Amino acid sequence: MKQTKTIESNLKELELNSLLEVTEAINNNLPEESLYKIYHFTLLANLKVKKLALFVALEDQWNCKVFFGVDSEVIEKIPVRDFEGHERIQTLEDSECIDFDHIIPVMHKKQLLALVFVGDIAETDHGISGNSATTFLEALTNIILVAIENKKLARQQLEQEAFKKELEIAKQVQNYLFPKDLPATDSFEVAAYYQPHHNVGGDYYDYIQIDEHKFLLCIADVSGKGVPAALMMSNFQASLRTLARQTVDLETIVSELNYQIKFSGNGEIFITFFAAVYNSETKEFKYVNCGHNPPLFRGNKGSIGTLKLGTTVLGMFAPLPFIEIGILNDIKNFDLFCYTDGLNEAINQEEEEFGEEQIDKIVEDLIDTCPHELNETMMQAVNQFRDGKEYRDDVTILSAKFKS
């Protein structure tokens, strides 16, 4: 009897020392890998566990984080999902898992965190459900895994805070991306509408007054969404504005923009782009379309057409395989409607797209109205069509009306 008490006393001392060691490791904020190593050593050396496999639930997958006493081939054959319904320590039948004697579910707030398979573990007279080594193993596993779970939650919180800061910076950057003032006179009016898919987006439009007679209008859409797209587009805008101060030659502008996107984006980021330069003195309207949705154009009160000439999307090839600049002469008056594909690809509850045909019809019906009214009516139509269905992409519209 005295010898039994001594054994139990020694076991309790080992268990206490193990808990102290684990607690100290957690307080020292050791990484997950170190905690698993301490867990491994404690069970193998201190508690004399002969066989063990610890499976942790991670993103709907079971990952074996610690195992010893069995080969890796045995681990791969364990049907872990068959034991997900267990909530208490269970004895395993030979047919279920021949290499292990017991399975220990590790729960936290009614959530299954892990499953521990153990074999050849020493038990006391109290049995498997009493104050045995297996019960202590359950407690030790719970402490380790809850600590790791808390570390994960803390890390996610830090990542979310960092993302919020990044998002706030991107918002501030994007506030400077679009022109603060657009022309609004009896002879020349430009109106724009912008709605990002998320808090920040990858669409861009601009109006750049080059001199007394010339101005540039443009619209662009970068592949991707969110913060990376917004930051790439801010670089694109800075490059375009710098180039526009040096030249109004559209072939030079798109060639240089393509080069910068190709190498700054490592060939993984592409931008569709449309730009037009109008000279009110010579009445010449020049444009280039780089893989963008063809804008709708009406000159001198004629019929409405599309502006398709140009090249492929920017950032895909260096140099561009071809460039064809569109030139329209004797343009005394014009109407221009540009948009990004978030508009035509908007879907309704039946997963049907708004489509280019509806856009064309609305523009044709309202081409004589002011750009602001045209944009507003277009958005009312697409919102009614969506019937609450979320947009799939950023939506940008740029409309212009010029009368000599």
Side-chain angles (χ1 to χ4, degrees):
M1 180 68 70
K2 186 176 181 181
Q3 185 179 4
T4 302
K5 288 184 177 180
T6 302
I7 293 173
E8 290 185 357
S9 178
N10 291 338
L11 181 60
K12 291 297 180 186
E13 186 176 351
L14 280 172
E15 292 176 352
L16 181 59
N17 290 336
S18 298
L19 285 176
L20 290 173
E21 184 180 0
V22 168
T23 303
E24 184 179 359
I26 293 170
N27 291 337
N28 289 334
N29 201 29
L30 292 183
E32 294 176 20
E33 185 179 349
S34 297
L35 292 178
Y36 282 127
K37 285 181 179 178
I38 291 172
Y39 176 81
H40 184 158
F41 177 80
T42 299
L43 297 179
L44 184 63
N46 292 355
L47 297 182
K48 309 298 182 185
V49 177
K50 302 290 180 58
K51 295 180 181 180
L52 179 135
L54 169 66
F55 286 87
V56 179
L58 296 172
E59 298 179 358
D60 200 37
Q61 295 290 329
W62 287 102
N63 294 309
C64 187
K65 291 294 186 179
V66 176
F67 76 91
F68 53 83
V70 293
D71 295 330
S72 57
E73 291 81 3
V74 173
I75 299 300
E76 293 174 1
K77 294 178 181 178
I78 297 176
V80 184
R81 290 198 177 275
D82 293 348
F83 301 98
E84 288 178 340
H86 291 274
E87 295 183 0
R88 294 194 180 104
I89 298 172
Q90 299 287 337
T91 300
L92 293 172
E93 302 296 333
D94 289 346
S95 59
E96 292 181 289
C97 207
I98 195 169
D99 292 278
F100 299 99
D101 303 325
H102 301 92
I103 180 171
I104 306 171
V106 180
M107 311 290 294
H108 181 66
K109 295 181 179 178
K110 296 184 178 180
Q111 180 184 356
L112 181 62
L113 297 182
L115 290 168
V116 186
F117 295 82
V118 292
D120 296 342
I121 186 168
E123 298 182 30
T124 68
D125 295 336
H126 296 287
I128 195 70
S129 61
N131 296 322
S132 65
T134 309
T135 306
F136 174 75
L137 193 154
E138 179 185 12
L140 182 68
T141 307
N142 189 284
I143 291 170
I144 289 281
L145 290 180
V146 169
I148 289 173
E149 187 72 15
N150 289 338
K151 285 167 67 70
K152 188 195 303 180
L153 292 174
R155 185 168 61 247
Q156 289 174 349
Q157 187 175 359
L158 288 174
E159 289 173 354
Q160 287 175 356
E161 290 175 0
F163 178 75
K164 285 181 181 178
K165 289 180 180 178
E166 186 183 57
L167 190 63
E168 191 59 38
I169 292 170
K171 279 184 181 179
Q172 293 174 9
V173 168
Q174 199 164 50
N175 285 337
Y176 297 104
L177 188 64
F178 302 109
K180 291 183 179 179
D181 300 304
L182 294 172
T185 66
D186 291 338
S187 60
F188 184 37
E189 181 180 351
V190 179
Y193 175 88
Y194 171 66
Q195 179 174 300
H197 180 251
H198 298 295
N199 290 322
V200 293
D203 283 2
Y204 162 61
Y205 67 86
D206 213 341
Y207 162 80
I208 303 172
Q209 187 72 46
I210 296 167
D211 60 30
E212 182 182 354
H213 301 292
K214 294 190 287 291
F215 61 82
L216 181 146
L217 287 167
C218 71
I219 190 168
D221 183 2
V222 64
S223 60
K225 302 177 182 67
V227 175
L231 294 178
M232 172 55 75
M233 198 55 86
S234 68
N235 291 332
F236 181 84
Q237 182 238 35
S239 299
L240 173 62
R241 291 202 161 202
T242 300
L243 287 166
R245 287 198 299 268
Q246 300 169 0
T247 180
V248 292
D249 181 70
L250 290 175
E251 184 170 348
T252 301
I253 288 174
V254 296
S255 295
E256 185 60 29
L257 288 173
N258 177 71
Y259 177 85
Q260 294 185 24
I261 297 164
K262 172 68 174 175
F263 291 98
S264 64
N266 296 319
E268 297 177 356
I269 295 178
F270 313 112
I271 294 180
T272 67
F273 176 59
F274 172 86
V277 174
Y278 180 68
N279 188 324
S280 60
E281 186 176 38
T282 64
K283 311 302 179 187
E284 183 182 61
F285 185 98
K286 289 186 176 182
Y287 75 89
V288 62
N289 189 332
C290 307
H292 198 79
N293 300 78
L296 300 170
F297 180 85
R298 181 180 73 167
N300 299 340
K301 302 293 184 181
S303 59
I304 300 173
T306 54
L307 304 179
K308 298 179 179 179
L309 297 181
T311 184
T312 186
V313 296
L314 303 181
M316 185 173 291
F317 304 102
L320 288 166
F322 62 91
I323 303 176
E324 186 176 3
I325 304 300
I327 302 176
L328 304 174
N329 294 307
D330 195 31
I331 302 298
K332 300 173 183 177
N333 309 288
F334 70 82
D335 296 279
L336 180 68
F337 182 82
C338 311
Y339 60 95
T340 58
D341 56 14
L343 181 67
N344 60 286
E345 292 179 0
I347 58 174
N348 61 14
Q349 298 295 338
E350 286 73 40
E351 301 291 323
E352 300 167 334
E353 288 193 351
F354 188 63
E356 295 177 2
E357 289 186 7
Q358 292 201 63
I359 294 173
D360 294 349
K361 185 177 186 309
I362 293 170
V363 171
E364 185 176 347
D365 292 343
L366 298 171
I367 193 72
D368 290 320
T369 63
C370 69
H372 177 76
E373 184 178 341
L374 173 56
N375 292 356
E376 195 172 72
T377 304
M378 183 67 71
M379 291 312 302
Q380 287 174 353
V382 73
N383 287 331
Q384 183 177 0
F385 172 82
R386 290 188 306 111
D387 190 25
K389 189 76 171 180
E390 185 181 358
Y391 282 106
R392 296 189 292 182
D393 202 352
D394 309 325
V395 176
T396 302
I397 297 174
L398 180 69
S399 302
K401 181 182 286 289
F402 183 87
K403 295 182 290 183
S404 60

